[in-house]
Amino acid sequence: ALDSLEGDRQAGASADAALFYAERFDAAAALGASLFERFGEAEDAYNAACSHSRAGRADQGLSWLERAVEAGFRDLDQLDSDDDLAAVRALAGYAMVRDRVTSS
């Protein structure tokens, strides 16, 4: 069922959010990654980062956050305040990703 949603980014993003809020973080992370690979939208990489972080995979979350920034994510306030990224912000590599946002 998820494969059929990938063709329509909006439907895919809605399904990603539903999975995330149902605390199905593994499925949400996989769908966010698929959406990003297909459409290249920074928001999808950011959402994958949040899902990985909530699933206890902060390192993967950081990697996806890097992809989000590379794709154009620039909301510093959201980076600094989103509870979903708390585990990612605790990593040493977070400062480098944050610096890339401030220098863009």
Side-chain angles (χ1 to χ4, degrees):
L2 294 181
D3 289 339
S4 65
L5 293 174
E6 290 178 20
D8 179 354
R9 186 184 171 277
Q10 235 7 75
S14 294
D16 186 12
L19 289 166
F20 183 86
Y21 290 115
E23 298 184 5
R24 294 185 56 202
F25 300 122
D26 292 338
L31 181 53
S34 293
L35 290 167
F36 180 74
E37 296 301 326
R38 177 167 241 167
F39 299 104
E41 294 289 330
E43 178 184 352
D44 296 321
Y46 180 89
N47 289 339
C50 292
S51 295
H52 280 295
S53 180
R54 285 289 185 178
R57 295 183 301 269
D59 288 336
Q60 285 181 285
L62 181 63
S63 177
W64 277 102
L65 194 56
E66 289 171 352
R67 291 180 188 158
V69 171
E70 287 170 9
F73 186 86
R74 296 289 178 267
D75 190 337
L76 193 59
D77 290 337
Q78 187 172 353
L79 278 182
D80 288 342
S81 66
D82 191 336
D83 289 341
D84 297 328
L85 294 174
V88 171
R89 282 195 298 274
L91 297 175
Y94 174 75
M96 187 177 74
V97 174
R98 188 184 188 283
D99 289 345
R100 288 176 54 202
V101 173
T102 61
S103 66
S104 298

